[in-house]
Amino acid sequence: MRLFFIEEENVMNARVHSVETFGLVDGPGVRFILFLHGCPFRCQFCHNPDTWASQKFEEWTPQQALDRALRFEPYWGKDGGITVSGGEPLVQIDFLLEFFKLAKAAGINTCIDTSGACFTREEPFFSKFEELMKYTDLLMVDIKEINDERHQVLTGVSNKRVLDMIQYLNDINKPIWIRHVLVPERSDFDEDLHALADYIDTLSNVKKVEVLPYHTLGVYKWKELNLEYKLEGIDPPTNERVENANKILHTDKYK
């Protein structure tokens, strides 16, 4: 697929979808969240399909992004900082690397919210990713589905890159949070949740595990973009179902 790297003249500039200035659930503390365009996945539950290929974006340099973020630094406290999300932020790894260099030079905590969709050990990506990790404090990694066949149904792509990235992060002892979106009839099978729990138990760098219930708040975007919403008629999981997933994944171990 395309979308591993930006192909504009200046790859240091970011295609910015939006920002959230007071994020409370995308990393520790209060955070400035920068949402970038582009993603190789086509998740059936995506609430930001407008990040896939839209031409509606602002272009920022790394310094512009940092200047914008620093306006809100007084609210971050000792645990907060900057999170870059998407879309898939690693699509724009050149920008991300330069942005995080500036952020760390300013003493800011940095976090990447990623699906791992872009990860590869091939060059030039891998060397850039290795360097990026020097300036990254935490990664929030989405595991959409541990079963690869079901992952392909849900996202259109294999989960092999995702799991390879997690293995690499474990090898270098880089802290991660693991997130799993619980989608009825797609990613809420007990056997897969048990398999995911067993997989997480093999890792030594996991600091938190979260179950995120599927929601329909982004459905209107699919309609605006004239995209077929394949989860039409599927309701969000019940509180009981979410609690069951939390028990299987032992999320309380990581609180």
Side-chain angles (χ1 to χ4, degrees):
M1 284 191 181
R2 192 176 176 276
L3 294 179
F4 277 14
F5 299 98
I6 303 176
E7 296 178 357
E8 283 85 353
E9 286 185 17
N10 188 346
V11 294
M12 297 303 178
N13 291 351
R15 295 175 296 171
V16 176
H17 171 266
S18 58
V19 299
E20 184 176 344
T21 58
F22 202 79
L24 297 174
V25 295
D26 292 281
V30 178
R31 308 193 73 81
F32 177 89
I33 307 169
L34 185 65
F35 295 91
L36 302 183
H37 269 275
C39 184
F41 282 176
R42 293 294 180 263
C43 296
Q44 292 181 354
F45 60 85
C46 182
H47 57 274
N48 283 325
D50 47 331
T51 65
W52 291 351
S54 171
Q55 296 304 308
K56 296 180 180 179
F57 58 83
E58 294 184 27
E59 188 171 297
W60 293 5
T61 66
Q63 187 62 56
Q64 287 173 325
L66 181 65
D67 291 343
R68 178 72 70 90
L70 286 174
R71 297 178 191 176
F72 305 94
E73 186 178 20
Y75 302 102
W76 296 344
K78 64 182 181 66
D79 296 323
I82 292 172
T83 296
V84 182
S85 185
E88 170 49 57
L90 293 176
V91 168
Q92 303 194 48
I93 192 169
D94 295 287
F95 163 81
L96 190 54
L97 177 55
E98 295 306 312
F99 179 40
F100 274 17
K101 284 181 180 179
L102 293 174
K104 292 312 295 178
I108 298 170
N109 181 275
T110 56
C111 174
I112 301 173
D113 181 7
T114 176
S115 68
C118 293
F119 183 79
T120 176
R121 295 179 190 252
E122 296 180 1
E123 299 295 351
F125 180 92
F126 189 60
S127 291
K128 294 176 181 181
F129 188 82
E130 284 185 302
E131 186 176 5
L132 176 61
M133 290 304 97
K134 298 175 184 177
Y135 307 97
T136 304
D137 294 304
L138 173 72
L139 292 95
M140 303 171 63
V141 184
D142 298 328
I143 300 182
K144 314 293 186 182
E145 238 293 339
I146 195 68
N147 179 294
D148 193 37
E149 289 185 7
R150 287 176 175 152
H151 190 279
Q152 291 181 50
V153 171
L154 187 61
T155 71
V157 183
S158 169
N159 65 13
K160 288 183 172 56
R161 290 181 185 272
V162 182
L163 301 184
D164 191 28
M165 184 188 76
I166 292 173
Q167 185 59 56
Y168 171 74
L169 295 174
N170 188 64
D171 291 344
I172 66 171
N173 199 32
K174 179 63 64 175
I176 65 173
W177 292 5
I178 287 181
R179 287 175 151 184
H180 178 72
V181 180
L182 196 68
V183 186
E185 302 179 29
R186 296 294 190 277
S187 62
D188 71 338
F189 303 98
D190 276 0
E191 62 267 32
D192 292 351
L193 292 171
H194 282 289
L196 178 56
D198 291 343
Y199 171 71
I200 293 172
D201 282 343
T202 69
L203 306 171
S204 60
N205 62 333
V206 178
K207 306 305 179 183
K208 190 172 185 178
V209 177
E210 295 180 303
V211 174
L212 306 179
Y214 157 72
H215 63 73
T216 59
L217 299 178
V219 173
Y220 76 94
K221 295 182 181 181
W222 289 71
K223 295 178 179 178
E224 289 178 351
L225 295 168
N226 294 315
L227 296 172
E228 178 188 5
Y229 191 68
K230 295 184 178 180
L231 298 183
E232 193 73 46
I234 294 181
D235 295 325
T238 63
N239 290 338
E240 181 180 6
R241 188 61 187 146
V242 173
E243 183 57 31
N244 179 65
N246 276 304
K247 288 180 179 178
I248 293 174
L249 294 178
H250 309 294
T251 58
D252 58 331
K253 287 197 315 183
Y254 302 92
K255 292 182 180 179

